[in-house]
């Protein structure tokens, strides 16, 4: 069997920035174990598999090097980049078990706008001690949604200088950890840590912005926000917060197209 593989850098205008994802379009699903092995072999933060449905939508599944992930924003952007190019269309409708339908539109400037369900976090009155001990700087507030704990800081400088203890943060599974703060250059910045699910730090994490954007939108009293994920590669995300959805917009660039031999 031969499969076509694409590797795309998402949430960036330039190669070697943003977050990388592999995309593998399928005509029918592979066995789960095989997709897990491919995700581990690729060893990028996410490998997205897509499969076209009879109604024209594309089912999508995401695999980190360690496990299947139920929702990944940057690999959805990467998959939309590939499918819009292959099918010469400007809209892709994805379907995923955990989050339902995900609509992605390609804009005239080449960016992609992805509309996701809003996943606003709620404040945690008694944060887990493993979370607090796993962060080198104590947050001023902790929140949580279905995906992660949100450690809120006073300044972007604190977020950028933060160190973490991955072994302690692993014990918070299935929840990951995002650190966030307001910024002079952007509306907010963040860093994302997921040692139990994929790696110590993710470069750019689209999915968590469905929680970050509603939090900062309420605090800053605005619905359109600019965000920067302050990892070593960095990534830019435009966020538009609606009543029940969050639209994330970003660019992507191709790194490679090749063949997997199975």
């Amino acid at each position: 069997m031969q499969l076509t593989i694409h590797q795309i850098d998402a949430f960036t205008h330039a190669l070697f920035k943003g977050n990388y994802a592999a995309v593998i379009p399928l005509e029918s699903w592979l066995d789960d174990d095989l997709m897990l092995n491919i995700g581990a072999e690729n060893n990028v933060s996410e490998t997205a598999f897509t499969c076209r449905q009879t109604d024209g939508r594309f089912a999508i599944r995401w695999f980190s090097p360690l496990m299947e992930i139920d929702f990944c924003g940057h690999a959805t952007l990467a998959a939309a980049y590939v499918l819009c190019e292959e099918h010469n269309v400007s809209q892709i409708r994805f379907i995923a078990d955990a989050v339902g339908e995900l609509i992605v539109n390609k804009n005239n400037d080449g960016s992609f706008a992805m509309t996701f369900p809003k996943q606003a976090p709620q404040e945690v009155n008694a944060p887990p001690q493993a979370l607090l001990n796993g962060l080198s700087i104590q947050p001023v507030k902790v929140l949580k949604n279905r995906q992660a704990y949100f450690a809120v800081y006073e300044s972007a400088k604190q977020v950028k200088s933060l160190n973490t203890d991955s072994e302690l943060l692993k014990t918070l599974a299935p929840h990951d950890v995002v650190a966030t703060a307001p910024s002079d250059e952007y509306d907010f910045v963040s860093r994302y840590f997921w040692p139990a699910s994929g790696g110590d730090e993710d470069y750019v994490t689209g999915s968590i912005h469905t929680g970050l954007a509603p939090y900062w939108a309420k605090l800053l009293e605005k619905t359109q926000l600019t965000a920067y994920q302050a990892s070593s590669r960095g990534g830019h995300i435009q966020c538009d917060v609606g009543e029940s959805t969050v639209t994330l917009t970003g660019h992507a660039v191709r790194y490679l197209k090749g063949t997997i031999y199975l």
Side-chain angles (χ1 to χ4, degrees):
M1 184 192 308
Q2 296 183 17
L3 301 174
T4 300
I5 181 171
H6 310 258
Q7 189 166 316
I8 309 297
D9 289 343
F11 291 117
T12 178
H13 290 87
L15 280 175
F16 314 123
K17 298 293 185 180
N19 202 356
Y20 39 48
V23 180
I24 301 173
L26 301 172
E27 295 182 2
S28 59
W29 290 118
L30 305 174
D31 290 340
D32 286 4
D33 285 346
L34 180 54
M35 290 190 285
L36 282 165
N37 284 333
I38 292 171
E41 184 78 10
N42 289 341
N43 200 32
V44 295
S45 60
E46 299 288 349
T47 296
F49 295 87
T50 66
C51 189
R52 193 166 194 172
Q53 308 298 289
T54 55
D55 62 3
R57 296 186 295 180
F58 290 85
I60 186 168
R61 296 173 67 181
W62 307 275
F63 289 79
S64 80
L66 299 179
M67 65 181 66
E68 183 170 9
I69 304 297
D70 65 4
F71 178 32
C72 176
H74 88 275
T76 301
L77 193 163
Y81 177 99
V82 170
L83 295 173
C84 282
E85 184 179 86
E86 287 196 340
H87 297 278
N88 194 27
V89 296
S90 59
Q91 184 183 83
I92 299 292
R93 294 161 60 224
F94 290 109
I95 186 73
D97 287 344
V99 289
E101 186 174 65
L102 310 173
I103 299 173
V104 184
N105 290 293
K106 184 177 181 180
N107 299 320
N108 291 334
D109 66 354
S111 65
F112 293 83
M114 306 181 291
T115 301
F116 296 140
K118 184 189 290 185
Q119 300 190 101
Q122 303 298 319
E123 190 164 354
V124 176
N125 293 322
Q129 199 60 45
L131 171 65
L132 301 178
N133 291 345
L135 301 171
S136 63
I137 304 171
Q138 293 303 286
V140 295
K141 184 185 297 186
V142 174
L143 305 97
K144 183 176 77 168
N145 69 2
R146 60 181 290 275
Q147 180 177 350
Y149 286 97
F150 292 60
V152 181
Y153 291 92
E154 293 180 337
S155 71
K157 182 178 179 180
Q158 289 177 308
V159 170
K160 292 175 182 178
S161 62
L162 183 68
N163 294 313
T164 62
D165 184 326
S166 291
E167 292 305 312
L168 284 175
L169 298 189
K170 277 183 182 179
T171 67
L172 302 172
H175 289 90
D176 300 322
V177 177
V178 62
T180 187
S183 165
D184 293 333
E185 189 174 356
Y186 307 94
D187 287 308
F188 65 91
V189 299
S190 66
R191 290 173 65 196
Y192 192 82
F193 308 96
W194 62 325
S197 304
D200 288 337
E201 182 172 359
D202 197 31
Y203 291 123
V204 192
T205 314
S207 58
I208 200 61
H209 285 76
T210 65
L212 287 168
Y215 171 75
W216 288 110
K218 184 176 181 180
L219 204 66
L220 300 175
E221 298 183 336
K222 57 194 301 187
T223 58
Q224 295 184 328
L225 305 101
T226 57
Y228 180 70
Q229 192 155 329
S231 67
S232 58
R233 288 171 63 106
H236 300 84
I237 304 176
Q238 174 67 39
C239 308
D240 295 275
V241 180
E243 288 295 324
S244 60
T245 61
V246 177
T247 298
L248 307 178
T249 300
H251 286 79
V253 292
R254 177 183 294 280
Y255 174 66
L256 66 80
K257 180 178 181 180
T259 303
I260 297 173
Y261 296 90
L262 299 172

